[in-house]
Amino acid sequence: MLAVSPVHRAVRRLRLLPRQRPAEHGQQGHVPHPVHQFMSPAFLICCTIFLTTTIDAATRVMASMSSKEILSDQEPSVTSKYLWCVTLSILVLGVLLVGGLEIIQALVVLAAIPLLAICVIMNISMFKAVRQDFPNIRAKELLYIDTTKPRTEE
């Protein structure tokens, strides 16, 4: 059986591609629920809005960081934002064309490894801060909640 990509399924749901016929071995063809007729386009619209705003924010940040002597209340130049948008788009398309989603998944995992160390350091510092702010509370008291005793306001 051929694997069908999510994009192909989404395009087929929008009725831009012809529907495939049922299999010959007695299997029934998939009949979509009527909800799919408005949920699939709504999902595609939400994805488009999410990607547009994400790329806009990323290009604004990269343009601000690459501009010389820009103040915090100033906007970067439109040319700089367009340049970063085109550069980011070419990078993403290149990665997709070279290796597909497997390469993107590997890049996401590689980018997450340094963040894991940062999260561990943040947790350690949070526990130290809580221990300094509340020196009389022990971990056993925090982990066990006695529901039989009525709560008293302090």
Side-chain angles (χ1 to χ4, degrees), residues 88-141:
L88 189 61
S89 300
I90 290 173
L91 177 71
V92 170
L93 286 175
V95 169
L96 274 175
L97 291 175
V98 167
L101 292 177
E102 292 83 19
I103 296 292
I104 292 177
Q105 288 173 344
L107 289 174
V108 167
V109 170
L110 284 174
I113 290 173
L115 294 177
L116 179 65
I118 292 172
C119 288
V120 169
I121 292 169
M122 287 175 57
N123 282 330
I124 291 170
S125 63
M126 182 195 66
F127 281 118
K128 285 182 179 179
V130 168
R131 197 173 296 145
Q132 283 179 349
D133 289 344
F134 304 100
N136 298 331
I137 297 178
R138 299 285 174 229
K140 291 179 183 178
E141 296 171 5

Side-chain angles (χ1 to χ4, degrees), residues 6 9-15 32-48:
R9 280 189 293 239
V11 170
R12 191 178 336 136
R13 284 186 184 140
L14 289 174
R15 301 183 193 279
H33 195 271
V35 174
H36 287 293
Q37 292 178 351
F38 67 89
M39 287 303 290
S40 293
F43 176 73
L44 289 175
I45 289 170
C46 288
C47 286
T48 303

Side-chain angles (χ1 to χ4, degrees), residues 21-73:
R21 296 182 183 189
E24 296 179 10
H25 300 291
Q27 295 177 352
Q28 295 291 327
H30 176 68
V31 179
H33 195 271
V35 174
H36 287 293
Q37 292 178 351
F38 67 89
M39 287 303 290
S40 293
F43 176 73
L44 289 175
I45 289 170
C46 288
C47 286
T48 303
I49 291 171
F50 170 75
L51 286 173
T52 304
T53 55
T54 302
I55 290 173
D56 179 52
T59 56
R60 177 171 290 164
V61 168
M62 288 186 285
S64 296
M65 292 178 72
S66 63
S67 298
K68 288 184 177 181
E69 298 177 7
I70 190 169
L71 299 176
S72 61
D73 60 342

